[in-house]
Amino acid sequence: MSEFDKEVRRLFPSTRFEEANKGEVVVKADDTEIPALAQRLKEQRFSLMLLFAMEDFNGANGITLWYVFEKEGFEEILVIQAAMKESMESIAAIFPPAYLYEREIMDGFGVAFARAFDQRRLFLHEAYPEGFHPLLRSFRNMHIKAKKAISLSEEYPFKEVKGHGVYQIPVGPVHAGIIPPGHFRFSVIGETIFNLEIRHFWKHRGIEKLAEGMAPEEGLLLAQGICGDEAIANALAYCMAIEKICAIHVPSRAEHIRALFAEMERVYSLLGDIAGMVVDVAYPLGASPFFILREEMLRWNEALSGSRFLKGAMKIGGMAHDVQPAALSELSRYLGSFYSRFTEGINGILSSSMVVDRFETTGVVKKELVLPLHLSGPIARASGIHADVRVQHPYGLYQQIAPSNKVTEEGDVLARFRVKAATIKDSVGIIKRIIASLPSGKMCAEYRLHDGHAFSLVESSRGQNIHFISLGNGKIERYKVRTASFCNWNAIEHAVLGNIVPDFPLINKSMNLSYEGNDL
Amino acid sequence: MAIPILSMLRQKVTEDVTFKDEEFEALGIALKGEINAIFGKSIAIREVDTGSDNSPEIELVNLTAPHYDIERFGITFVASPRHADVLIVTGPVTLNMATALRKTYEATPSPKWVIALGDDACGIGIFRDSYAVVGSVEKVIPVDLKIFGNPPSPKEIMRGILGFMKKIREKNHVGKQSAQ
């Protein structure tokens, strides 16, 4: 029995443990027990990773809720299943991200959470008709009629901050830059941000419903299409979940190439963040080296995989194509010059007082927020918490190669800049190590599909992505995705408080969260 | 006095550009000619994302980055639809974005053109049958050009816009009008 098992058994002396996949400890609970359990888990410093619902799970009628937790220092995850009766008590007061998950479930399945302090719709905006709940099995996926006119009373009620001199700035969904849509509602006193409320899900494409009934190979395209610059991360997580269900052993060469592509994605994605942060303090010349390196990385992606975004590279059981050994050794040589040019660019930025002046003490994410908000990735590492799925829940090649992450305490824009720069350098090192140690062999395993369900975790460029897949009769019954951005968006609402409005774009860019990964 | 003269004579400090892409340059120069003829030296583009996977946006941003730098050819991305000649729309148009897209289109002064960019926007993407999308841009606003791809590469986008300019000139004889 693992340490995690013991820890969980201490917490739940009389609970029924379910048979589960390796790395998952599954407990069944009564709906009435949930709030007390959540409270106990919070006291033991567990963190809510995911909460979602599934209809008719394992032949049971009705809705089953899945609460998924992790604890620092443990590889395994804890899954609590509870059959939902008429209503379930909200745990949003105990685990803050639950206020989003519960609203997501209310929209999807039309169920209620008692004592939830926020009952507004989440991904179904005003245009959706009343009583429409797309994730119920009774709804067959098809185009629906949007509401023609929306009356004033139907409009989304934002939190209003009132007082002498307080005014509001509404921004979005269509923004000034070439970026995705989101709505930001600032309450401002003078120039200082007093409150920020973010409204998302403008890009909601109904990915989870689309996946229902798909063959696993077909669903892979959806996973890859969640978010362009996390195409590998999400496709990898998707494949890992299927491989866990069907006990597929991925060949070693394919594991290496998977990690190689995952790190290349991390590099080009974070280069965009770095360049964007410098652009946002009006220093385009300083940003140019990073834009140039990023374009070069995108071209390497194309040379290796045929796609500038590494799309179509992943396959269940391995990789779709092998890579050319000559191209790899050339890439390894190129990364030498990449490293020195990148370092030169970063040193140039960090020695510019104009930039550092804007970065320092701006948009602080407090360390004590990381655990309750379940923040992950570079944001968490810049605020003093060593969060990295590759370290905490090692998968694939990361069981052999561990990243050496930089952790800083300050939590401001400068800290995130430093952490992201260090992550890029580390990823470059990992890529070179992978190329140097690449074994020969098959690129893809033969497999047969089994029914079952499994979770998988990956570290994307933005942090922890978790996927859940349930297969029945060879088709997807339920596909649930939560990308790092879903939780990390909450960090911005806190980080901007007390900052001036003109610093908001910079703070936003320093996190560079995904809209589409959040909205699904 | 010696210093200014010396600096004029001395070799310039700008770096040599080693990443020039002949095909792209040729596309850009051809495009510049068309834009000069039709739009009086520049076109202003407003981008609207209605549910893409963000890779089209990344490629559009890349067009403004050093390798491509399309502002040289008279193409600028503007912050408001009120300043735009052309809307580039990406994504399958989610139900949540349909109204915003319509309003953005209405806010764009005439004459205006719409480019649907990427497979999703053109109605052949993987999300087209979802409850959450309208299905393609042309179901919401009139579309003048489709640029396919998942996502289209910077060069494909340039080729698309170039073909589009020629089409506008032939169809509307805009070149003649502006010359008069």
Side-chain angles (χ1 to χ4, degrees), chain B residues 93-169:
Chain B
V93 190
T94 61
L95 246 59
N96 291 343
M97 271 306 283
T99 305
L101 175 62
R102 226 173 272 126
K103 283 186 181 171
T104 307
Y105 181 75
E106 282 160 14
T108 312
S110 290
K112 55 191 164 189
W113 293 268
V114 176
I115 299 175
L117 188 137
D119 287 348
D120 288 328
C122 299
I124 59 164
I126 47 175
F127 307 115
R128 63 181 184 277
D129 295 326
S130 169
Y131 67 86
V133 304
V134 180
S136 69
V137 178
E138 62 188 348
K139 289 187 183 164
V140 184
I141 55 174
V143 169
D144 300 284
L145 172 77
K146 294 178 182 175
I147 303 178
F148 291 88
N150 180 25
S153 70
K155 253 189 241 174
E156 284 165 343
I157 297 172
M158 288 288 276
R159 245 178 252 134
I161 299 178
L162 177 60
F164 176 51
M165 290 293 144
K166 288 184 176 155
K167 208 170 100 183
I168 296 179
R169 194 152 53 105

Side-chain angles (χ1 to χ4, degrees), chain A residues 123 125 128 134 141-143 175-177 180-181 201-205 221 225 228 294-295 298-299 308 311 516, chain B residues 46 49 51-55 58-59 62 66-68 77 79 94-97 126 128 130-132 134 150-151:
Chain A
F123 65 84
H125 283 193
Y128 284 92
N141 204 2
M142 57 177 181
H143 286 175
H175 295 254
F201 299 94
W202 302 90
K203 299 184 80 168
H204 176 68
R205 294 155 291 172
L221 291 177
R294 174 161 136 123
E295 176 67 23
L298 290 173
R299 290 179 184 192
R308 284 162 62 87
K311 287 180 179 177
E516 47 288 331
Chain B
R46 170 68 246 174
D49 173 355
S52 76
D53 73 354
N54 199 32
S55 53
I58 293 174
E59 292 294 35
N62 285 341
H67 275 80
Y68 304 103
F77 288 96
T94 61
L95 246 59
N96 291 343
M97 271 306 283
I126 47 175
R128 63 181 184 277
S130 169
Y131 67 86
V134 180
N150 180 25

Side-chain angles (χ1 to χ4, degrees), chain A residues 78-361:
Chain A
L78 168 64
V79 182
I80 300 178
Q81 297 171 354
M84 192 166 183
K85 306 230 171 74
E86 252 152 51
S87 142
M88 180 66 107
E89 186 126 348
S90 165
I91 60 162
I94 305 166
F95 290 104
Y99 93 99
L100 290 171
Y101 293 124
E102 289 170 357
R103 287 164 67 195
E104 195 181 26
I105 296 167
M106 289 194 264
D107 279 5
F109 295 91
V111 294
F113 284 86
R115 279 198 276 278
F117 55 80
D118 192 344
Q119 306 256 8
R120 293 173 296 179
R121 286 211 214 170
L122 191 73
F123 65 84
L124 301 178
H125 283 193
E126 299 89 318
Y128 284 92
E130 301 300 322
F132 173 70
H133 301 292
L135 289 175
L136 288 173
R137 279 190 201 286
S138 53
F139 170 68
R140 229 186 82 242
N141 204 2
M142 57 177 181
H143 286 175
I144 60 161
K145 259 207 147 53
K147 260 194 261 173
K148 275 258 147 42
I150 287 130
S151 69
L152 211 58
S153 64
E154 287 172 318
E155 276 184 16
Y156 190 76
F158 283 93
K159 182 174 166 186
E160 245 180 273
V161 181
K162 283 183 187 153
H164 186 68
V166 182
Y167 63 99
Q168 301 210 340
I169 308 177
V171 182
V174 179
H175 295 254
I178 307 175
I179 53 164
H183 184 93
F184 300 86
R185 184 67 62 99
F186 298 92
S187 300
V188 184
I189 304 174
E191 260 199 307
T192 309
I193 300 168
F194 192 59
N195 187 58
L196 165 64
E197 186 176 349
I198 304 177
R199 188 188 192 200
H200 270 317
F201 299 94
W202 302 90
K203 299 184 80 168
H204 176 68
R205 294 155 291 172
I207 287 177
E208 290 175 15
K209 185 70 182 185
L210 271 175
E212 279 179 21
M214 275 190 176
E217 291 79 9
E218 215 181 336
L220 177 57
L221 291 177
L222 283 180
Q224 176 186 278
I226 291 170
C227 173
D229 54 2
E230 290 178 26
I232 285 289
N234 285 319
L236 176 58
Y238 179 92
C239 288
M240 280 164 49
I242 302 270
E243 284 150 11
K244 206 161 157 191
I245 297 169
C246 306
I248 302 167
H249 183 74
V250 178
S252 173
R253 185 175 173 85
E255 285 285 25
H256 279 72
I257 302 287
R258 280 181 170 189
L260 175 90
F261 281 7
E263 295 307 319
M264 288 185 66
E265 180 174 86
R266 199 179 319 283
V267 170
Y268 89 74
S269 180
L270 291 179
L271 274 171
D273 302 12
I274 296 265
M277 286 157 84
V278 181
V279 166
D280 278 357
V281 294
Y283 187 27
L285 182 68
S288 291
F290 307 114
F291 278 125
I292 291 170
L293 291 171
R294 174 161 136 123
E295 176 67 23
E296 287 171 2
M297 284 308 287
L298 290 173
R299 290 179 184 192
W300 273 110
N301 288 350
E302 194 175 14
L304 292 182
S305 75
S307 157
R308 284 162 62 87
F309 294 88
L310 299 164
K311 287 180 179 177
M314 208 65 78
K315 206 177 156 191
I316 296 166
M319 300 295 290
H321 311 283
D322 205 341
V323 286
Q324 298 298 326
L328 283 180
S329 46
E330 220 175 295
L331 170 63
S332 194
R333 259 200 311 281
Y334 161 78
L335 287 174
S337 92
F338 176 100
Y339 194 91
S340 55
R341 285 154 66 206
F342 178 71
T343 310
E344 195 188 327
I346 292 291
N347 291 345
I349 296 301
L350 291 177
S351 57
S352 159
S353 56
M354 180 192 86
V355 176
V356 174
D357 190 39
R358 287 286 306 275
F359 281 8
E360 220 169 13
T361 68

